[in-house]
Amino acid sequence: MGVRVLVPSGALGLGWEEAALAAGLAAGPDLIAIDGGSTDSGPHYLGTGTSKYSRASTKAEWAALIDARARAGVPLIIGTAGTCGADAAVDWLVDITREIAAERGERLRLAVLKSGQAPAEIAEALAERRLEPLPGAPEVTPEAVAECTNIVALAGAEQVQAALATGADIVIAGRTTDTAIIAALPLARGCHAGAAWHGAKVGECGALATTRPNSGSILLDFDEEGFTLTALGPGAGATPRSVSAHMLYENADPFILHEPGGHLDVRRARYEALDAARVRVTGSRWVASPRYTVKLEGARRAGFQVVTLALVRDPRYVAAIREWTADIARRVVEKARARTGRADFSVELRLIGLDATLGALDRAARAGSEVGVLGIVTAGDETLAGEVAKTLNPYLLHHPLTEDEPMPTFAFPFSPAEIARGAAYEFCLHHVMALDDPMQAFRLTTLEVGP
């Protein structure tokens, strides 16, 4: 039995073209699935349990999808709700859904899948060696895990299937793999496992796998042998290249994709253009793992930050910008330690217009006529961060290259020059945890909202 999944957009908050979504609804999907976020935007959102996207934008798009669900008569599912998938972010979207249901006068049944983990339990699992670090994982101690403000486990297809099996109108899931919300239903209905995971990977970002990425919506048709992707936007197309290339997106290996319970292997996949808008894919393979593991993500507070920005245009200083900023950083650290009696802070100067994005990894950096010097002070508390940033201020404004030259003056675009960012967070978990039961680390509840 085939399964048709409509993906309205790459993420709730990015939008879609109305004509593309309408075409998808007219095609009669079995499920509407959309992603809510990921770790792309950094640790702040997981650390605070908040959404990257505005509440107003999220509500407007979610209301439109709730309306689309009603017209199609099929379930609507979102994974990694509220950007990070933390329990607080799930509750945030549930509250928005409750508001929409009340405004529409519609009774809705929700399945809520939460992925949050208790730091004490994860610290215990770490001590018992039940966690396995992934490549590049930071060194982690039980104390560091206990400091996490939020830890989530990434749900796979099994947990999403359990949520869909409740018969809910809408599934609001915490952190899931990007693919799980799409692959779950085809797998549950007996479609080809390799195709289910491959199609889900290609379709996770909606129209990004088409020739018009901003059109938003796509259709994925799954069956017993493969899957077909259809571009829905006016003038949008799909090609073997646009479809196959998505295995490179956010994936270290263009042929292997690891998921809970196994991995996808696309080395023998075949891509066929059926017409200008459709690509058929067969030959993908799912390889089950003897152990069922889920990835963990955790964020903890790294301190408090104050940032400042100075603009340097003097050609002589631009030419010597690395030496100049290195000297400033050294002097500021020495002075701040001496004046405050503390050392629990750091001073970083990034060179915008030179190598601020990649730093030492940028081998093609060339200075232009202007360089922005972004100062980032991170400290153990807000007061110290502010003190060190103010120690940095006069150096960025007036520090000379040599002692025997006139004092220079550079530009601050803001007054005051120091901008407090508040608490700063860092990721501290990049591990997998083995489960005896896929639902062991997750909590599934149902509720009804609306009049």
Side-chain angles (χ1 to χ4, degrees):
M1 179 179 179
V3 173
R4 175 168 286 176
V5 178
L6 169 59
V7 182
S9 176
L12 187 68
L14 295 181
W16 53 79
E17 291 184 356
E18 292 300 328
L21 181 63
L25 293 174
D30 299 295
L31 178 72
I32 301 172
I34 191 166
D35 188 29
S38 69
T39 59
D40 293 3
S41 299
H44 170 87
Y45 304 100
L46 180 58
T48 58
T50 57
S51 175
K52 166 184 174 178
Y53 299 107
S54 80
R55 192 181 194 281
S57 179
T58 299
K59 182 178 178 181
E61 292 189 13
W62 193 231
L65 292 184
I66 290 175
D67 179 64
R69 183 218 69 81
R71 284 185 281 149
V74 299
L76 165 65
I77 182 169
I78 184 169
T80 312
T83 302
C84 60
D87 290 354
V90 172
D91 291 339
W92 178 76
L93 190 59
V94 169
D95 286 343
I96 291 174
T97 308
R98 185 177 284 109
E99 282 184 19
I100 295 169
E103 292 167 1
R104 289 169 53 91
E106 182 177 4
R107 192 75 172 163
L108 294 169
R109 188 161 187 253
L110 310 185
V112 180
L113 178 67
K114 289 191 172 180
S115 307
Q117 308 296 305
E121 293 181 6
I122 299 301
E124 181 181 346
L126 180 66
E128 294 174 353
R129 300 183 183 275
R130 290 190 282 119
L131 301 190
E132 181 181 337
L134 293 168
E139 195 73 28
V140 175
T141 64
E143 293 75 20
V145 174
E147 292 174 356
C148 287
T149 52
N150 280 300
I151 300 173
V152 290
L154 275 67
E158 293 81 2
Q159 297 86 358
V160 174
Q161 287 169 346
L164 290 171
T166 65
D169 302 310
I170 298 172
V171 175
I172 298 178
R175 189 70 170 109
T176 65
T177 70
D178 294 347
T179 48
I181 59 171
I182 299 173
L185 187 61
L187 289 169
R189 293 190 179 177
C191 295
H192 190 278
W197 285 111
H198 193 181
K201 171 59 182 171
V202 171
E204 63 177 341
C205 289
L208 194 61
T210 75
T211 60
R212 288 193 58 236
N214 289 330
S215 57
S217 307
I218 60 168
L219 274 180
L220 293 164
D221 284 289
F222 300 92
D223 54 49
E224 295 179 354
E225 295 182 353
F227 75 92
T228 300
L229 181 145
T230 302
L232 295 174
T239 68
R241 178 177 180 178
S242 72
V243 171
S244 62
H246 203 76
M247 278 296 296
L248 289 164
Y249 181 72
E250 297 179 338
N251 197 32
D253 189 321
F255 301 108
I256 304 295
L257 177 70
H258 292 276
E259 293 283 341
H263 69 269
L264 169 68
D265 183 343
V266 304
R267 285 175 292 185
R268 296 183 180 178
R270 297 179 297 277
Y271 304 83
E272 178 188 0
L274 300 181
D275 53 39
R278 296 184 301 153
V279 171
R280 172 77 174 164
V281 182
T282 55
S284 312
R285 191 165 66 102
W286 172 252
V287 182
S289 171
R291 288 194 315 156
Y292 190 90
T293 61
V294 292
K295 183 188 174 189
L296 297 175
E297 295 170 350
R300 64 174 178 170
R301 196 173 71 192
F304 293 83
Q305 280 188 346
V306 175
V307 297
T308 187
L309 179 65
L311 306 178
V312 178
R313 288 185 60 85
D314 185 297
R316 183 163 167 268
Y317 282 80
V318 169
I321 196 71
R322 295 186 196 280
E323 294 82 357
W324 185 68
T325 52
D327 186 44
I328 287 175
R330 178 185 62 80
R331 290 172 182 264
V332 169
V333 169
E334 290 178 357
K335 179 178 285 188
R337 286 179 176 176
R339 300 283 170 84
T340 66
R342 294 174 62 175
D344 57 328
F345 66 87
S346 65
V347 177
E348 183 181 2
L349 299 178
R350 297 185 186 176
L351 304 178
I352 299 173
L354 186 58
D355 62 1
T357 303
L358 297 178
L361 296 175
D362 195 337
R363 299 178 181 177
R366 296 288 186 274
S369 61
E370 180 176 78
V371 174
V373 180
L374 177 65
I376 305 173
V377 175
T378 306
D381 59 67
E382 290 180 285
T383 300
L384 180 59
E387 283 289 302
V388 177
K390 288 186 176 183
T391 303
L392 173 62
N393 181 306
Y395 286 92
L396 290 179
L397 187 62
H398 291 308
H399 185 60
L401 274 171
T402 62
E403 295 296 333
D404 58 351
E405 65 182 85
M407 180 180 290
T409 298
F410 302 106
F412 287 130
F414 309 109
S415 178
E418 296 77 33
I419 304 168
R421 293 190 61 245
Y425 293 84
E426 64 182 4
F427 289 123
C428 65
L429 278 176
H430 187 57
H431 295 64
V432 294
M433 178 172 66
L435 301 180
D436 296 325
D437 179 341
M439 290 302 296
Q440 178 181 338
F442 303 88
R443 301 173 310 285
L444 177 61
T445 59
T446 58
L447 69 152
E448 291 192 357
V449 299

